[in-house]
Amino acid sequence: MLIESRRRAYLSAMQVVSWLPRTELPFAAPSRPELLDMPEPEYIAPVVTAPVAATVAEPVAPVVERPKVEVPRPSLASTRTNAKPVEDAVEAPVKAPYVAPPRFALQLLRAGRCLLLVELPTGDPFQSRDPAYLLLKDMLRAAGLPDSPQIIGEPVRWPLLSRGTMDQGPEAARDFVQGFVSARLEDEPCACLWLIGLPAVKFAGEADAEAFNRELQVEGLGSAWALPGLELLMDTPQRKADVWQAMRRLMARWKESNE
């Protein structure tokens, strides 16, 4: 049997306030009859709820489905036939056609008040006994100019470079030749610029063989006289008469300057 104090502690912990033993305990105080009466459970009437009046539902408009629009899709075959590759869509840059650089050699000389841009027939500088140089001296004497022209600078040989990617086409050659002659004219002006030979006429005078024996006005270079090349004059002597006639028309220009 438990000690009364411990038992009461257990009952208090279990929140049991009143308890009755199952059997009559020896030496126990008589039980109180009010504790032995079991109270009848109270009757709780069920709560009856009034029926909720059914509300009349408003008619709901039917949902109208939007018609589906069929988007035509290209078939695989049409895609293959009409589609262009990316490479075709992007236009390739147009490359300028390659133009071979011209080949020539020119020598600049000064005779009195005239400058002479002469084609070198062999590409080498003039020698005192060269037939082409002797012909040039005769032409200067006939024009009333000193027959011992002064050589100005080194010959202009084109192309400048044998290799490399620099543009050496006709336009580049023209710009170089005109720039070279223009720089010499700034040092000392002249009354007339003789262009002797097709390369000199083409790349300094911006003309062709049709301009032989004619006077040209070249922007930046002034008045110029186009003549056939020295070798061409030696091969076709009949051309010398045309040169002489043109010389007589222009001779006054540099003679006035020499006076």
Side-chain angles (χ1 to χ4, degrees):
M1 297 180 64
L2 295 176
I3 302 175
E4 184 66 19
S5 60
R6 182 176 298 177
R7 186 186 58 190
R8 291 182 179 277
Y10 287 161
L11 293 176
S12 297
M14 292 185 293
Q15 298 181 355
V16 177
V17 179
S18 60
W19 56 275
L20 293 175
R22 293 181 180 179
T23 61
E24 185 177 354
L25 299 177
F27 308 107
S31 299
R32 289 178 292 175
E34 63 271 12
L35 295 179
L36 297 177
D37 295 336
M38 297 295 295
E40 295 181 0
E42 297 180 0
Y43 173 76
I44 300 176
V47 179
V48 178
T49 59
V52 180
T55 58
V56 179
E58 296 180 359
V60 180
V63 179
V64 180
E65 296 184 358
R66 294 182 180 179
K68 295 182 179 180
V69 180
E70 295 293 336
V71 179
R73 297 182 180 179
S75 61
L76 183 59
S78 61
T79 304
R80 291 177 178 175
T81 56
N82 297 331
K84 294 183 179 180
V86 178
E87 293 78 9
D88 296 343
V90 179
E91 295 183 0
V94 179
K95 294 183 179 180
Y98 172 76
V99 179
R103 297 183 178 276
F104 58 84
L106 301 173
Q107 179 66 65
L108 187 63
L109 305 99
R110 180 177 292 276
R113 295 284 293 174
C114 290
L115 277 181
L116 289 73
L117 186 63
V118 187
E119 177 189 8
L120 296 176
T122 62
D124 297 326
F126 287 121
Q127 301 296 325
S128 58
R129 302 308 299 174
D130 286 345
Y133 184 67
L134 295 177
L135 175 59
L136 179 61
K137 292 170 67 72
D138 293 340
M139 294 172 62
L140 292 175
R141 281 194 295 267
L145 295 171
D147 61 354
S148 298
Q150 175 189 358
I151 297 176
I152 301 178
E154 295 294 327
V156 176
R157 293 184 173 86
W158 196 269
L160 294 177
L161 304 175
S162 58
R163 298 179 182 178
T165 58
M166 185 182 73
D167 181 17
Q168 300 188 94
E171 294 185 1
R174 180 199 61 198
D175 295 341
F176 183 85
V177 172
Q178 289 184 344
F180 175 77
V181 177
S182 177
R184 303 290 81 78
L185 289 174
E186 290 181 359
D187 297 338
E188 185 176 354
C190 72
C192 185
L193 172 64
W194 292 23
L195 303 177
I196 305 176
L198 184 57
V201 173
K202 184 175 181 180
F203 298 106
E206 300 184 19
D208 52 17
E210 298 294 330
F212 285 161
N213 304 314
R214 291 168 49 190
E215 185 179 7
L216 307 175
Q217 293 295 328
V218 184
E219 183 179 0
L221 302 182
S223 178
W225 180 28
L227 292 88
L230 298 176
E231 277 197 343
L232 184 59
L233 290 175
M234 290 188 296
D235 295 339
T236 55
Q238 61 271 21
R239 290 178 177 269
K240 294 180 181 180
D242 298 332
V243 173
W244 170 246
Q245 292 179 3
M247 184 184 295
R248 292 180 61 183
R249 294 194 301 269
L250 297 174
M251 196 178 301
R253 183 182 299 277
W254 53 79
K255 275 193 173 183
E256 293 176 358
S257 301
N258 289 335
E259 293 177 357

